[in-house]
Amino acid sequence: MNKEQKPMYVIDGEDLDSLLRDIVKSEFAVLEEKLRTPPRILTREEAGQKIGVSKNTVSEYIKRGLIPNRGIGHKILVLESDLERIPSKYNRNYYN
């Protein structure tokens, strides 16, 4: 088999239905957990540690609009959930 050919799998309708139901159920469980968990507020330093960049880089991401600043006045605060929206090319940890 060369690199362009991919294996083909055959699955019947019942198995496909069951598989899709399991996937949807799993995704809803993850979503429900996120909705039940209160938002975690991070400082620049904590946000930087979470995504593997410096606090100055976090400030740059805020300036570029990649992360919203949730702080008041000069205090920079970031919601942990906002970090998940950063495009992967800017995220060094990739949330692993």
Side-chain angles (χ1 to χ4, degrees), residues 44-84:
R44 282 187 316 152
E45 292 83 4
E46 293 168 331
Q49 288 173 352
K50 178 82 174 160
I51 60 173
V53 299
S54 71
K55 66 181 184 178
N56 292 334
T57 302
V58 171
S59 295
E60 184 62 30
Y61 289 175
I62 290 169
K63 188 188 296 183
R64 289 186 196 175
L66 295 171
I67 306 172
N69 179 10
R70 306 297 182 151
I72 298 173
H74 293 289
K75 184 70 175 176
I76 295 175
L77 298 173
V78 175
L79 289 180
E80 186 174 35
S81 59
D82 289 337
L83 298 178
E84 296 173 7

